[in-house]
Amino acid sequence: ARIQCETALSMHRRYHDREGEAYTLDNLGFIAHRTGNHTQAVDYYRQSLALHRQRGNSYEMAAILDRIGHPLIALGRPEQAGAAWQEALDLYQAQDRTTDAVRLRHQLRAVGPGAADGLAEGIDVGAVPEVHDLITDP
């Protein structure tokens, strides 16, 4: 699947298909995360997020912000994961995506004070800067 996505990404870029590029980068991020390549996953998700932001596609932005939190947690960056999830939660609520919002509230609590896995040091997600400031700069 990764090889097919890389080929598709090349074609989308060659023909300046930004929407196809954004979706393909998202798929590559998912593949990288699931295969344990968390740094690469974050990079792919950042690129996809930036393209969706440019296009004003808030529906996909919410989903990518949701997904990017998982490799960020795996990399020991719970503050950034919490910020991404908070922005995704705000978008989900604005879009009336109740099921996603409820699930994300649980994820945010898991990275908050007293998280069982010890990955977080008491994140106040309301005090975290905008997620795009944290995760879009290489």
Side-chain angles (χ1 to χ4, degrees):
R2 183 183 50 77
I3 292 169
Q4 285 83 4
C5 283
E6 289 171 346
T7 300
L9 180 61
S10 215
M11 292 181 71
H12 291 306
R13 286 179 170 165
R14 181 179 314 131
Y15 295 105
H16 307 286
D17 175 8
R18 296 295 176 236
E19 183 176 20
E21 181 180 354
Y23 284 108
T24 303
L25 286 163
D26 182 30
N27 289 330
L28 284 165
F30 180 82
I31 292 166
H33 173 62
R34 292 300 184 175
T35 57
N37 200 339
H38 306 299
T39 301
Q40 188 175 42
V42 170
D43 182 54
Y44 284 133
Y45 285 140
R46 282 178 176 160
Q47 292 177 62
S48 179
L49 182 60
L51 290 170
H52 283 297
R53 278 192 201 284
Q54 288 172 2
R55 299 178 52 78
N57 188 345
S58 63
Y59 189 90
E60 289 302 325
M61 286 168 46
I64 294 165
L65 287 162
D66 188 346
R67 284 191 286 280
I68 200 171
H70 299 284
L72 287 167
I73 289 290
L75 291 168
R77 292 158 49 190
E79 298 86 8
Q80 291 180 11
W85 286 339
Q86 183 61 54
E87 187 174 348
L89 176 60
D90 294 343
L91 289 168
Y92 284 152
Q93 289 173 331
Q95 298 164 2
D96 293 321
R97 294 167 67 179
T98 307
T99 302
D100 290 320
V102 168
R103 178 184 45 75
L104 210 47
R105 275 190 210 98
H106 290 292
Q107 288 174 204
L108 279 164
R109 278 196 286 274
V111 298
D117 56 8
L119 290 173
E121 299 288 329
I123 299 167
D124 174 8
V125 292
V128 178
E130 290 285 334
V131 69
H132 50 81
D133 295 337
L134 290 170
I135 65 172
T136 57
D137 294 327

